[in-house]
Amino acid sequence: MQSAYEESWLQFYHPIVRQLGFAIASPNILCALPSDLLLTHTFQLHSDEIWQQHFEDYLPRLRELDVNPTPLLEFVAQLKSTRLGLRFEMLIWFWLQDNAYHPYQLLGHSIQIIEGAKTLGELDFLIYHRDFKRIEHWEIALKYYLAEADYRFEHWYGLNRSDRLARKMLHFTEKQFQFQQALQHDIEARFCMLKGQLYLPQNMQHALPAWVNPARRIGHWGHQQPDQSLGYYRLQRHEWICANSQPSSETAQWWTDGLYKQQFHQHYYMFRQAPYLMRVNA
């Protein structure tokens, strides 16, 4: 893995602006669709260069918000849920409405497709791309997947083991991108925005799959507590999107499940309690 990453969102001070900067500038966790994914309905991933350009175009607005984040705070405060994925969606929604800074016109958000009494599905965003003069359907997700076994496509798990990367990608191609029309518009392009972070098992080395994006920082996970002298502290839930500029808790003296970061380095460690049988047999 490379040691230097472009993480331009870390220049901001206010936590919510850092999170918005991450939502825009961070690369997708995948740089390509895995060859093991059987496509029912095709879709694309935006390139890293596109996200970096969007960030550069939005930089003046981000700097304004870092001085006065009130409009962003008030917008996100409409969300009553604590779910990170919904918070991430609100951040993207805020950015898309600032259409002086990008080539998109937002046509709709959370659009339900209904047939008779049955809801067939819901589109995250319907967008008109002014430069390309086309209608785009975007699905977005913020995900944290932990690699197991030999890092193959089917061996990446979320914090809830029913949430697997393979299952999520299959849901995209079979369900979420099935629609040809929305709001009386023909859909001409489909994009998946899949951001977050991947984690490799501690002390287990395999070759990374070609579809893992090398431009996105990768963390580690394990059942062992790192050396306390390394200065790990536990991140608050919203900091999983982007850590605050200053530590939000004391250096960890005892460990619970969650995401930890080294105080003076961008090193991330997902600690998981060892299964009971593993503890008994240790």
Side-chain angles (χ1 to χ4, degrees):
M1 290 183 293
Q2 65 187 66
S3 57
Y5 295 85
E6 180 64 37
E7 296 180 327
S8 7
W9 52 90
L10 298 179
Q11 66 186 272
F12 305 113
Y13 173 76
H14 197 281
I16 194 68
V17 181
R18 289 166 71 89
Q19 292 169 30
L20 177 59
F22 168 85
I24 299 166
S26 65
N28 285 302
I29 57 177
L30 274 60
C31 59
L33 298 181
S35 59
D36 292 345
L37 177 65
L38 299 178
L39 291 173
T40 304
H41 302 285
T42 59
F43 62 96
Q44 305 172 59
L45 299 163
H46 295 99
S47 70
D48 301 347
E49 291 75 20
I50 286 176
W51 289 122
Q52 189 57 39
Q53 186 61 57
H54 287 330
F55 174 79
E56 292 173 6
D57 293 342
Y58 202 53
L59 191 52
R61 177 65 168 145
L62 287 165
R63 287 172 174 160
E64 288 177 5
L65 290 167
D66 208 27
V67 175
N68 177 22
T70 302
L72 178 56
L73 288 169
E74 290 179 346
F75 186 81
V76 174
Q78 298 175 79
L79 179 65
K80 303 310 177 186
S81 171
T82 59
R83 288 175 54 193
L84 284 184
L86 293 178
R87 185 180 182 87
F88 180 72
E89 187 174 325
M90 291 291 287
L91 295 169
I92 295 298
W93 189 8
F94 180 91
W95 167 66
L96 284 171
Q97 291 181 98
D98 260 342
N99 58 13
Y101 297 92
H102 53 68
Y104 307 117
Q105 177 186 342
L106 181 60
L107 302 177
H109 167 247
S110 295
I111 305 160
Q112 290 190 333
I113 305 298
I114 300 173
E115 186 177 273
K118 184 178 180 181
T119 300
L120 301 179
E122 184 176 286
L123 284 66
D124 284 346
F125 293 103
L126 190 70
I127 292 165
Y128 177 65
H129 196 307
R130 296 191 298 267
D131 290 350
F132 295 160
K133 296 180 171 51
R134 71 184 182 196
I135 302 297
E136 299 182 354
H137 167 199
W138 289 16
E139 288 294 319
I140 72 170
L142 181 72
K143 289 293 183 179
Y144 303 87
Y145 288 115
L146 283 60
E148 295 187 5
D150 55 5
Y151 303 178
R152 282 189 296 175
F153 181 46
E154 64 269 26
H155 293 154
W156 294 75
Y157 293 87
L159 304 183
N160 178 342
R161 289 186 67 82
S162 66
D163 177 18
R164 296 183 297 113
L165 174 60
R167 181 178 181 180
K168 182 62 177 175
M169 299 301 289
L170 199 62
H171 185 64
F172 277 134
T173 185
E174 290 185 348
K175 301 294 184 182
Q176 291 181 272
F177 287 116
Q178 65 177 298
F179 304 107
Q180 304 301 311
Q181 290 185 323
L183 301 180
Q184 301 182 329
H185 294 286
D186 291 334
I187 296 171
E188 300 166 274
R190 296 163 182 81
F191 288 92
C192 163
M193 181 192 303
L194 184 58
K195 300 193 177 186
Q197 193 167 27
L198 300 177
Y199 300 86
L200 302 179
Q202 192 179 41
N203 304 322
M204 186 183 295
Q205 298 296 324
H206 295 286
L208 281 177
W211 43 262
V212 170
N213 193 343
R216 178 71 185 108
R217 185 182 297 278
I218 296 176
H220 287 87
W221 75 273
H223 304 302
Q224 294 78 38
Q225 300 174 12
D227 185 341
Q228 290 186 3
S229 68
L230 297 176
Y232 278 94
Y233 69 95
R234 193 172 191 270
L235 293 178
Q236 307 302 312
R237 186 64 169 163
H238 287 168
E239 290 186 274
W240 288 34
I241 301 177
C242 179
N244 294 350
S245 59
Q246 299 297 321
S248 57
S249 63
E250 299 294 327
T251 302
Q253 300 299 316
W254 58 282
W255 291 68
T256 58
D257 284 350
L259 182 57
Y260 294 77
K261 177 185 176 295
Q262 273 190 279
Q263 182 169 348
F264 300 110
H265 303 279
Q266 299 300 322
H267 296 161
Y268 295 85
Y269 182 70
M270 186 73 76
F271 176 71
R272 309 294 289 165
Q273 292 282 353
Y276 179 73
L277 288 176
M278 182 181 294
R279 293 199 300 269
V280 168
N281 295 328

